Amino acid sequence: MDDLILRGGIIAGAQQDLAIHQGRIRHIAPRIFTPARTTLDIAAKLVLPGFIESHIHPDKAFIADRTSGLRRGGPTPQALVAELKKKFTAEDIYERARRVVLCAVRHGCTAMRAHVEIDACVELRGVAALQRLQAECAGVLDLQLIAFAQEGIFHDDVTQGLLREGLQMGLPILGGCPYMDQDQRRHIDWCFDTAEAAGVPLDFHADSGDDPSRLTCDYIAEQTIARGMQGRVTLGHLCTLDLLEPDHRARVIDRMRQAGIHVISLPATEMHVKGRADKHTWRGVTRIEELRAAGVNVSISTNNVVNPFTPYGHPDLLRQALVTAMAAHLGNLDQMAWLLDLITVNPAKAIGLKDYGLAEGCGADLVVLDAVDPAQAITEQAEKLWVLKAGRIVARSTRTSELFMTVEAPTR
Ligand SMILES: [Zn+2]
């Protein structure tokens, strides 16, 4: 007997039943007649695999009220947060990160890759907090943790050692941030050397600025190929790519494709932070459609939640899809039809999830939306009616409205 049957949802464009057995999708068919312990009627509601936050910072979430926001000529968001981090306790980080996870699950997220800052300001307090959270939310959300060098690695003599310690504590990914050091190539080389020695993949914050002479994604692609790490390197931001001349950009994109680099665009943060000093406001968002068309695996993610980088950030990937449609000229119906791949199958590939997707045998990590197709889901910011993790219902949401108007029946 199956544990659960979802009845009549829209799967791959057609109304189908979906049977779940022992946490996995056992069968998908127009009608399933075998018995189940529980049946959910989701007639004509869109079923998607669970949303994936592939790039997010729970350790510095919900701190916008502790500092001023960005002002013309004022400190960078990095500088504002570095100051606050010194006072973070493990308990404080844990409480704020937990709030992020709960919001994310409510909004359909079933797996998350989070950057954990490790440096002289916060040392390893974030690692302790996030590992505690990771253990507590197992079964509800898969939480991957990155040992992340937000402050650069050449400003003091402790950060490199702390990052290695983070990896030894079990963090399975190293996160570089070359633009925080003057010598970006030296930073990148250190990350590759350290990742190779530890046998872990890399996830860089790269090319966040507007100076094409500081471009690094081409060098990172080169190193990825030279060291045989194809498919194991991820780049967040990539704003600078947007500013290259078309021919140059095409060459760089092709190099990244050859290197199997995963790209994660962070449109809400780019729109808030970038282009403030310019005569013309620059959106700062990378070339999502060009990357995708060239065969690069592209995702989008929330990045920041209620902090100086994005004071209105919220871990709701359907919201990010709408922001992306607006920010990256991706709002036509044919584009919105694939936009939700950027918060589902593409990030699942980027973060290396196994058995993910809407197919028999995959883990039953699912979200059911109050919409018939992706365009309606994005446009109406549809409610996430049900969220399932390994076949278990972990969130249910409803939205009610009352309209006080009478509509006369047309007279014949
Ligand atoms: Zn980030």
Side-chain angles (χ1 to χ4, degrees):
M1 183 186 287
D2 288 315
D3 300 311
L4 176 64
I5 288 180
L6 303 181
R7 192 73 79 196
I10 296 175
I11 297 171
Q15 260 193 283
Q16 307 201 64
D17 290 351
L18 183 151
I20 296 167
H21 186 69
Q22 293 185 344
R24 292 186 173 271
I25 300 171
R26 185 189 63 77
H27 193 38
I28 298 172
R31 194 84 176 113
I32 294 173
F33 296 100
T34 47
R37 279 186 195 84
T38 312
T39 300
L40 272 187
D41 178 12
I42 55 162
K45 305 297 183 193
L46 182 63
V47 183
L48 295 174
F51 296 161
I52 314 292
E53 286 282 9
S54 50
H55 180 128
I56 193 165
H57 298 265
D59 55 354
K60 60 183 174 195
F62 298 113
I63 54 169
D65 59 347
R66 300 181 188 185
T67 183
S68 67
L70 301 188
R71 302 275 184 268
R72 187 174 279 266
T76 63
Q78 284 89 350
L80 292 171
V81 174
E83 205 44 46
L84 293 177
K85 265 200 288 191
K86 294 172 186 164
K87 297 202 180 88
F88 287 179
T89 64
E91 187 66 24
D92 172 40
I93 296 169
Y94 166 81
E95 291 294 343
R96 290 182 289 98
R98 183 171 182 275
R99 194 172 156 196
V100 172
V101 164
L102 294 181
C103 282
V105 171
R106 177 257 179 272
H107 286 296
C109 178
T110 55
M112 176 183 281
R113 179 184 271 193
H115 293 265
V116 186
E117 301 193 9
I118 297 178
D119 47 57
C121 303
V122 71
E123 298 172 323
L124 293 160
R125 298 193 291 281
V127 179
L130 269 294
Q131 284 187 325
R132 176 183 165 198
L133 182 62
Q134 182 184 45
E136 286 178 9
C137 69
V140 176
L141 176 126
D142 299 321
L143 183 57
Q144 290 184 5
L145 303 176
I146 304 169
F148 174 48
Q150 171 70 81
E151 306 300 328
I153 55 173
F154 298 123
H155 300 293
D156 57 58
D157 54 9
V158 296
T159 299
Q160 294 178 23
L162 287 168
L163 287 163
R164 283 198 198 91
E165 219 176 307
L167 296 176
Q168 281 159 13
M169 287 168 76
L171 301 197
I173 307 144
L174 179 62
C177 197
Y179 54 81
M180 294 301 287
D181 281 315
Q182 196 48 44
D183 189 341
Q184 296 197 96
R185 288 198 174 196
R186 197 170 148 228
H187 181 119
I188 292 163
D189 291 343
W190 183 88
C191 288
F192 271 101
D193 291 346
T194 307
E196 273 188 321
V200 298
L202 282 163
D203 194 323
F204 287 99
H205 281 60
D207 300 347
S208 170
D210 60 2
D211 177 1
S213 74
R214 295 271 289 166
L215 190 80
T216 60
C217 62
D218 48 353
Y219 182 69
I220 292 173
E222 210 176 275
Q223 286 299 308
T224 301
I225 293 168
R227 296 171 188 248
M229 282 185 70
Q230 290 93 330
R232 285 166 61 77
V233 177
T234 302
L235 303 184
H237 288 298
L238 244 48
C239 314
T240 320
L241 186 73
D242 177 58
L243 298 167
L244 304 184
E245 293 301 321
D247 286 356
H248 184 194
R249 194 165 66 235
R251 286 198 304 277
V252 171
I253 289 175
D254 192 55
R255 200 77 178 136
M256 286 196 287
R257 182 192 57 76
Q258 289 168 17
I261 283 182
H262 308 283
V263 172
I264 302 175
S265 182
L266 310 161
T269 298
E270 317 304 9
M271 298 279 277
H272 183 69
V273 175
K274 308 292 154 64
R276 285 174 173 258
D278 300 348
K279 187 172 159 203
H280 303 290
T281 304
W282 176 46
R283 298 179 180 203
V285 181
T286 196
R287 300 271 174 156
I288 293 173
E289 193 169 33
E290 282 180 27
L291 286 158
R292 177 181 178 271
V296 175
N297 183 41
V298 196
S299 308
I300 55 173
S301 199
T302 294
N303 197 21
N304 283 289
V305 176
V306 190
N307 66 21
F309 292 89
T310 323
Y312 43 78
H314 190 60
D316 175 355
L317 285 163
L318 199 56
R319 179 196 286 196
Q320 291 308 318
L322 178 61
V323 170
T324 304
M326 294 189 275
H329 296 154
L330 293 173
N332 295 331
L333 293 182
D334 58 324
Q335 295 163 326
M336 285 199 283
W338 55 258
L339 205 43
L340 296 187
D341 290 349
L342 275 55
I343 59 171
T344 53
V345 288
N346 294 10
K349 188 177 170 198
I351 73 169
L353 294 185
K354 300 268 181 284
D355 302 330
Y356 173 90
L358 266 187
E360 292 171 4
C362 290
D365 291 3
L366 304 168
V367 56
V368 180
L369 295 162
D370 190 8
V372 296
D373 60 28
Q376 187 190 12
I378 294 166
T379 303
E380 298 183 12
Q381 291 291 284
E383 189 55 272
K384 298 89 182 176
L385 301 171
W386 303 93
V387 183
L388 282 78
K389 178 68 187 173
R392 197 166 65 87
I393 295 166
V394 293
R396 164 155 206 209
S397 297
T398 56
R399 200 182 287 170
T400 58
S401 304
E402 290 180 73
L403 296 183
F404 300 103
M405 58 185 268
T406 48
V407 179
E408 302 277 334
T411 51
R412 288 175 186 273

